[in-house]
Amino acid sequence: MSGRLRYLLTLSRPRFWFYLAGPVVVGVAFGADTTGDLFTAVSVGLFAYFLLPANVFLYGVNDVFDVDVDIANPKKDEREARWSGDSVVAAVIALSTLLGAATFLLTSSRAWPYLAGFFLLGFQYSAPPLRFKTTPFLDSVSNGLYVLPGAAAYAAVAGAHPPLAAVAGAWLWAMGMHTFSAIPDIDPDREAGIRTMATFLGERRTFAYCLCCWLAAAVVFGLVDVRIGLLLGAYPLLILAVYRSDVDVDRAYWWYPMLNTAVGTLLTLGALWRLVNA
């Protein structure tokens, strides 16, 4: 049992837990009208689900349908796990998926389109028949799924849809983040016959694509708040620095969880400052 728990922990990608739970925190902070809105059954419940069960669902489905591809992927040797085929683990992944139904019961109907979008894109990103991850550009666009928990949290707490520019800016950020993360996989994906945005463009043009996504994200977020746009400027600056340096992209890839956490923290603190000084 301890071995299964360790495997499930690795499968869930602990370094990336806040890629789903972090947007919930930001969405709650910006959607709240008072400090009392920060810790309700809705906000705590959404955070709890997207911190761990949602990651088991998302990456579990990914590993199940990538079993052949992952044979040649070096990331699976250390930081991630190859699918073991364990029936108990498969049951936990299924249970984590079913637990997602509770998020609909917990929230108002305004949040439902964002939740439905998350589960649909999360499943079809890896699973047939659509399997977005094997179609260049669609693999990038579909990764806007990472911002949908935050949009759902905002809608559930505020009782209104989040600003369109904020959703669009976050979606562009997620597109750049996903495609950058695919650069270390270019060689193993090509060997496995998998077509992605990164394999289609090649490394140099993928850097340019990510730069464009993150520049666009900063500009669009600037329409919501100039300070947020300036904060998002850290992403194009960093990718330019990585491209012009001799730092291996496989190493730089693992810096981004720290950058994303720092940016999310600053966004949350800004929203909390607004509440405290309202």
Side-chain angles (χ1 to χ4, degrees):
M1 183 58 69
S2 62
R4 285 191 176 109
L5 289 174
R6 285 195 299 272
Y7 175 80
L8 276 165
L9 184 66
T10 304
L11 174 147
S12 68
R13 320 287 204 270
R15 284 173 177 263
F16 303 146
W17 281 1
F18 269 84
Y19 281 13
L20 294 179
V24 172
V25 174
V26 175
V28 168
F30 277 96
D33 287 327
T34 67
T35 54
D37 293 332
L38 298 174
F39 298 99
T40 64
V42 172
S43 58
V44 173
L46 287 175
F47 177 80
Y49 178 75
F50 284 104
L51 181 65
L52 182 54
N55 282 289
V56 173
F57 151 71
L58 186 64
Y59 296 116
V61 171
N62 178 85
D63 288 356
V64 167
F65 289 100
D66 271 9
V67 62
D68 295 333
V69 178
D70 288 340
I71 292 173
N73 192 335
K75 284 196 303 186
K76 300 295 179 177
D77 293 327
E78 298 178 4
R79 299 178 187 269
E80 296 180 9
R82 290 183 174 88
W83 176 241
S84 66
D86 190 306
S87 60
V88 174
V89 173
V92 173
I93 294 171
L95 178 61
S96 297
T97 306
L98 291 174
L99 280 175
T103 61
F104 289 88
L105 299 175
L106 192 63
T107 58
S108 67
S109 59
R110 286 190 183 275
W112 293 354
Y114 306 109
L115 293 171
F118 169 79
F119 288 106
L120 176 62
L121 292 175
F123 188 75
Q124 287 295 282
Y125 175 74
S126 301
L130 299 180
R131 196 161 158 75
F132 293 124
K133 71 181 301 176
T134 62
T135 305
F137 191 63
L138 288 182
D139 63 331
S140 177
V141 173
S142 63
N143 262 255
L145 67 92
Y146 282 93
V147 310
L148 293 176
Y154 181 99
V157 172
H161 295 291
L164 181 59
V167 176
W171 205 286
L172 287 163
W173 164 83
M175 289 170 59
M177 193 68 247
H178 164 266
T179 307
F180 183 78
S181 73
I183 295 176
D185 295 335
I186 287 177
D187 289 337
D189 281 347
R190 281 176 172 169
E191 289 177 16
I194 297 296
R195 298 180 71 240
T196 68
M197 196 65 177
T199 62
F200 173 73
L201 292 175
E203 183 170 319
R204 191 167 72 89
R205 286 187 294 179
T206 300
F207 269 101
Y209 174 82
C210 295
L211 176 65
C212 290
C213 285
W214 283 331
L215 281 172
V219 170
V220 174
F221 264 120
L223 300 177
V224 180
D225 190 307
V226 173
R227 294 166 294 183
I228 299 178
L230 292 174
L231 180 61
L232 267 289
Y235 289 89
L237 289 176
L238 180 58
I239 198 171
L240 279 173
V242 171
Y243 179 75
R244 291 180 174 275
S245 72
D246 57 358
V247 175
D248 193 285
V249 69
D250 291 59
R251 180 185 176 195
Y253 166 71
W254 296 102
W255 296 345
Y256 278 81
M258 294 183 288
L259 174 62
N260 294 334
T261 301
V263 169
T265 299
L266 289 173
L267 285 172
T268 303
L269 289 175
L272 294 178
W273 181 262
R274 168 186 61 87
L275 284 180
V276 170
N277 291 275

